[in-house]
Amino acid sequence: MSTKVAVVSGSNKGIGLAIVRALCKQFKGDVYLTSRDVGRGEEAVKALNSEGLKPKFHQLDINDLNSIKTAAAYFKEKYGGVDILINNAGIAFKASDPTPFGVQAEVILKTNFLATRDMSTHFLPLVRAGGRVVNVSSMIGASGLKQCSPELQQRFRSEDITEDELVVLMQRFVSEAKKGEHIQRGWPDMAYAVSKIGVTVLSMIHARRLSKERPNDGVLVNACCPGWVRTDIAAPGAPKSPDEGAITPVYLALLPPGAVEPNGKYVSDKEVQPW
Ligand code: NDP
């Protein structure tokens, strides 16, 4: 039987690093810590080595299509596929950052939504039968959804929204944010929230698509919120440690063989949440 393999994006620090730590302890297979910066990635591998854990490493910058394609080709060649994919890499601006809102919107949507989508485009075809895909979203996306216009909420909750329509909506948000028109067009005033709405809806679309195209493969795709976690993205007063933030993503990644749910859901504290 081929060696099983798990890949975690953005795992040189924060929740991603904690996910790799937990998978090294709980997953029977190779676990890849990935980082856009090789130096930071190797330092993180060393830190886990000092805890007696043995993650492997591959460079992965989700904003760089060549990096995504190189990594995907590597996993295809070396393992013949991927068993666990955790799209964790993400960014946010500090509340005090003076960067204009339209620029923040473009930069945040590029990494959190478009690059996560690029990862899915190149890695989903590699996910083997029984595979688990976890997209790290946020409760801020769930609360942002409630602030969208009724028309946008209807689309983001609909079962027939396509990936193309979602991409167009996300691009529309950026262009309206740049013109300062996003609020009057029915969007929340938070680019991070919109990016995470995109991540959650994308997960739901991919789950529906895989269930239709590969009905016998039992691949489960879910979005989750790790909770409010003390990392460089969040304030130091956040209640959860990174290891606690890793619990729900790792739970979804290790849903037992034969499980049929949750699939295409938004999950927090190991519970499916309303969307
Ligand atoms: P951190 O800032 O600690 O970690 C973010 C990670 O993503 C880093 O490893 C960073 O790498 C990486 N990253 C950023 N851009 C890219 C890129 N283009 N390619 C590859 N890696 C990249 O934040 P968290 O650990 O808190 O965040 C992890 C995820 O959890 C994010 O998706 C975030 O939105 C989500 N989240 C976090 C919450 C919290 O309270 N902390 C709450 C809800 C969701 P580098 O070191 O090179 O910058």
Side-chain angles (χ1 to χ4, degrees):
M1 218 173 75
S2 55
T3 306
K4 294 203 168 209
V5 60
V7 182
V8 186
S9 72
S11 47
N12 52 288
K13 67 176 182 177
I15 298 164
L17 178 63
I19 291 172
V20 169
R21 176 184 290 117
L23 287 177
C24 283
K25 293 175 184 171
Q26 298 176 49
F27 175 64
K28 291 193 183 10
D30 289 348
V31 182
Y32 275 78
L33 185 155
T34 70
S35 171
R36 56 180 160 181
D37 180 88
V38 173
R40 287 198 287 275
E42 288 176 350
E43 280 303 307
V45 168
K46 269 194 216 152
L48 290 182
N49 287 161
S50 72
E51 299 174 23
L53 304 172
K54 302 235 171 333
K56 295 181 176 290
F57 176 73
H58 202 284
Q59 193 275 344
L60 179 58
D61 181 345
I62 67 166
N63 279 342
D64 175 355
L65 212 46
N66 279 328
S67 172
I68 293 179
K69 286 181 184 173
T70 302
Y74 169 85
F75 289 108
K76 186 167 187 197
E77 162 72 19
K78 186 167 166 75
Y79 295 91
V82 165
D83 299 283
I84 293 175
L85 170 65
I86 303 193
N87 285 311
N88 163 78
I91 59 161
F93 283 79
K94 297 282 174 213
S96 57
D97 194 304
T99 307
F101 186 81
V103 178
Q104 291 198 19
E106 183 161 42
V107 171
I108 290 177
L109 270 283
K110 165 79 187 97
T111 296
N112 293 4
F113 176 72
L114 291 169
T116 298
R117 177 187 179 235
D118 287 339
M119 275 295 293
S120 304
T121 302
H122 292 278
F123 273 79
L124 280 190
L126 299 185
V127 174
R128 275 194 273 257
R132 307 287 180 248
V133 180
V134 183
N135 295 326
V136 181
S137 186
S138 170
M139 60 195 136
I140 295 177
S143 56
L145 175 68
K146 296 190 190 115
Q147 294 170 40
C148 288
S149 66
E151 294 75 21
L152 284 171
Q153 289 191 39
Q154 191 278 332
R155 292 317 298 145
F156 291 136
R157 293 196 174 109
S158 74
E159 300 252 320
D160 62 4
I161 185 170
T162 62
E163 187 167 329
D164 286 346
E165 181 185 352
L166 179 63
V167 171
V168 167
L169 285 170
M170 292 289 120
Q171 288 168 338
R172 201 181 92 192
F173 166 72
V174 172
S175 98
E176 290 170 352
K178 282 183 165 172
K179 289 187 259 175
E181 292 173 358
H182 59 285
I183 297 175
Q184 71 199 75
R185 303 279 178 202
W187 296 99
D189 197 20
M190 291 180 293
Y192 180 80
V194 175
S195 75
K196 294 299 191 180
I197 292 173
V199 170
T200 299
V201 177
L202 188 69
S203 314
M204 294 171 171
I205 291 169
H206 287 164
R208 281 194 290 267
R209 190 203 298 158
L210 286 181
S211 301
K212 198 168 160 211
E213 292 176 358
R214 299 170 57 185
N216 301 317
D217 279 359
V219 176
L220 303 177
V221 184
N222 289 290
C224 70
C225 177
W228 189 23
V229 182
R230 292 184 296 279
T231 65
D232 289 346
I233 275 188
K240 286 189 180 181
S241 68
D243 289 329
E244 289 167 332
I247 289 173
T248 293
V250 169
Y251 155 75
L252 291 170
L254 297 179
L255 286 168
V260 292
E261 57 186 20
N263 188 28
K265 297 289 191 279
Y266 165 64
V267 178
S268 173
D269 286 327
K270 296 194 192 176
E271 298 281 348
V272 172
Q273 303 298 319
W275 180 250

